[in-house]
Amino acid sequence: MAQDQVSNSPNAQAGLLAQRLRSPRQLRTELQSLVVKELLGPRGGPVEEFDERPRDRYLIGMLAAKNKLIPAAEMDALAEDGEASGEDGATDDTPPAADSLFPSSIGLTCTVDGQAEQLLVTARWRRYLGEKSETLTTEKGNPAVVWKRYPKGNIARKVPLAEGDLAAPVLDPNQPEVYLQGQVRRLEDDWIVSLFW
């Protein structure tokens, strides 16, 4: 009986609550992870399947093959009906009159210590392919057609630091159309390295 009284005491309950609460750092890390999964993916884990188009599911991080056009008819306009009010307010944005090119590369520029002789670069990306699901079915019991996520890249490549354009090594032999490009320049005692794929 005394044991029950101790565990139900306000001090004991406050101690249990304190153990369950997360620190601000833990909350910030969890929030960051949730935002990345929501905007970039994967929401459904490393091997996910879903029935909506990947570009409708994720807002950022999407690249396409070179010279991939987006038809103007597929571009959205916000508040098109003009009846929005308050925070939603009408917008002046309208879809472009002409087709647009879809982004086909991503890159970065950084400064590297001038004593370094090479960089180790690892590019990772995911490719979504439409195919029949191994787990999801239609109402009739047939395999559902879904978008399935496949990891790509994740192979380290050495980049020698010498002035000039880089050779274009393939980043994943299973997807040879994705390759590393870039340029290395000297700036005083450091290297300026620009890489994109």
Side-chain angles (χ1 to χ4, degrees), residues 44-115:
V47 181
E48 68 176 346
E49 294 182 352
F50 50 85
D51 58 3
E52 59 194 305
R53 295 182 306 183
R55 70 177 178 199
D56 293 338
R57 185 174 176 97
Y58 299 121
L59 297 177
I60 61 173
M62 180 92 131
L63 299 176
K66 275 188 174 179
N67 301 320
K68 168 81 171 158
L69 288 177
I70 304 172
E74 289 185 19
M75 308 243 185
D76 294 334
L78 300 174
E80 205 168 283
D81 61 0
E83 296 179 17
S85 61
E87 290 183 11
D88 292 333
T91 180
D92 292 334
D93 295 338
T94 57
D99 296 343
S100 297
L101 284 174
F102 206 92
S104 62
S105 65
I106 188 170
L108 65 92
T109 297
C110 60
T111 303
V112 178
D113 186 292
Q115 300 299 314

